[in-house]
Each structure stands twice: as C-alpha cells, then as structure tokens.
Amino acid sequence: MRANSLAFRLFVTAALWALLVLPIAGVIIHSLYRKDVENNFNQRIALLLALVENDSADHALGNEPGAPSELGERLFDITHSGWYWQITPLDNKVEGRRLVSASLATERFSLPTELNIEPDGTEKRWADVPGPVGQKLRVAETIHLYGEGERARRYSVAVAGHLGEVEGAVARFRQQLTAALALTGIGFMIMSLLQVHFGLLPLRNVERGLAGFDIDTTL
C-alpha cells in the first residue's frame, strides 16, 4: 500500500475515525456506568438507614433509642467491614444514649450535621467522610425524635458505606471496557484493510487494463 495511494488514504481516514470515536464512546459509557453504580450504592445506604431508624424506634426505651437488631446485613457485625450505623444524641443539654454497630467497635465517624450540611428533599443529609483504618465513607443521616412532648429527644441516625466498593466496581469495569474497545478498534482496522483491499479491486483491474492498452497514435 503506497503512502500516496487511494487505498492508503481510505485506511488512514478509517483508522483516525476509530481512534476518535472509540475513546469518546469509552468515556461516555464509563461515566454512565459510574453514575449507575453510585446511585445503587446510595440507594443501598438509604434503605439500610430506614431499617436502622425503624428498628431502633421499635425497640425504643421511652425517649431513648433502642439497639437495632433485625437489619439483615451481616457486615454490620464484622469489625471494620466498611458498613456501619451510628445513633448519636443531638441535644447537648441532656446526656443521651449513644449506640453504634459492632463493626464500628470503639470508633465513630463524622456526621453531616457536624459539617453543617443541609438535608435533601427526603430529609437526609449526605457526606463523604474518613472512616476507620483509612476507609472513605459515604454517610446518610436523618434526625429522629424519640419520645413525646417535652421529654422527647433528638437523635442522629446515620449509616455509612465504604466507597471502596464503588471504586472497585468502577475499576473492574474500566479494565473490561478498555479491553473491549481495544479489540473493537483492532477488529475495525482489520475490516477496514479488507474493505479497502477488496473494494478497490475493480479500480485496480481498470488501472491494469489501461496500462496494458497500447494506443497507436501514428498516422
């Protein structure tokens, strides 16, 4: 394939198109996948937060929270698993009962209320905070009122999940996507070569025919 030939120009055009389109497609697909993973992760946290809040309210001791016990999430029982719940009193004038999951052990994580984060439309506050053993946590928090009347007390009910799960899933997908796009690019270039080669055969035949045709211009 000569550098100045039609076949070469067609192949280079197809190759440049592939090198432009495939990376852009990869970035878009990667971004959509990451958003989907994060949405599912946030939904999982929100669901567990609702379970912790409701179970704690069911086992409440007057104006103090009860310890949640029927959550169906074993990671709350494994030390430093990356999944934690925490119930913290917000009324500083009265000493309240502070409860944490077994996974949190003797540690605690920062709350969105402590970071002055405003609640969203569902009255949840969200924040990314440091956790035990260097983990990065995403925290969802809601405020629950235990008890009634003047004796009622405000508590923060929070659930945290390890963001490493999101990063791990996205990293694995990125590797698979890169490999798939690379194979697609290689296959596209091979197909381009074949199309250029066989597609231009009629023109080559015409060219050879013209080259072998001797026109007698003598009178």
Side-chain angles (χ1 to χ4, degrees):
M1 187 184 299
R2 298 190 305 273
N4 62 345
S5 65
L6 176 60
F8 179 78
R9 290 196 295 271
L10 289 174
F11 173 73
V12 169
T13 301
L16 290 176
W17 178 254
L19 291 175
L20 175 65
V21 171
L22 289 179
I24 293 175
V27 170
I28 294 173
I29 294 171
H30 180 270
S31 176
L32 292 174
Y33 180 80
R34 183 183 186 91
K35 185 176 181 179
D36 187 57
V37 170
E38 287 188 338
N39 286 340
N40 290 336
F41 186 74
N42 291 343
Q43 289 174 9
R44 181 182 177 189
I45 293 177
L47 174 61
L48 290 172
L49 176 61
L51 291 175
V52 169
E53 182 182 14
N54 293 335
D55 200 49
S56 173
D58 289 342
H59 295 86
L61 306 174
N63 58 359
E64 291 189 348
S69 59
E70 301 174 7
L71 303 177
E73 178 54 79
R74 294 185 61 189
L75 291 175
F76 285 144
D77 298 323
I78 302 174
T79 304
H80 297 161
S81 65
W83 286 88
Y84 313 103
W85 59 260
Q86 181 173 281
I87 302 176
T88 309
L90 294 178
D91 295 326
N92 296 326
K93 296 180 181 179
V94 181
E95 183 178 353
R97 187 184 189 197
R98 179 175 176 271
L99 301 170
V100 299
S101 60
S103 55
L104 199 54
T106 59
E107 302 190 54
R108 69 179 303 274
F109 51 81
S110 300
L111 298 171
T113 49
E114 296 171 341
L115 302 174
N116 297 319
I117 294 176
E118 295 296 323
D120 61 13
T122 62
E123 295 302 317
K124 296 182 184 66
R125 292 172 169 83
W126 296 84
D128 294 345
V129 302
V133 294
Q135 296 168 338
K136 186 175 181 180
L137 305 178
R138 175 156 296 167
V139 179
E141 176 193 27
T142 189
I143 307 302
H144 190 91
L145 195 65
Y146 290 86
E148 298 179 355
E150 296 181 356
R151 290 176 53 83
R153 295 181 184 177
R154 294 169 62 248
Y155 277 81
S156 160
V157 182
V159 168
H162 185 16
L163 278 168
E165 291 189 15
V166 173
E167 298 302 331
V170 172
R172 289 190 295 272
F173 178 77
R174 183 168 56 246
Q175 293 175 349
Q176 296 168 353
L177 179 62
T178 300
L181 291 178
L183 290 175
T184 300
I186 293 172
F188 182 81
M189 290 185 181
I190 293 174
M191 288 300 300
S192 297
L193 278 173
L194 293 175
Q195 286 180 338
V196 167
H197 177 75
F198 291 106
L200 294 181
L201 277 179
L203 289 178
R204 293 194 185 96
N205 293 334
V206 171
E207 182 182 8
R208 284 193 291 267
L210 290 175
F213 183 70
D214 186 14
I215 301 177
D216 187 2
T217 61
T218 60
L219 296 175

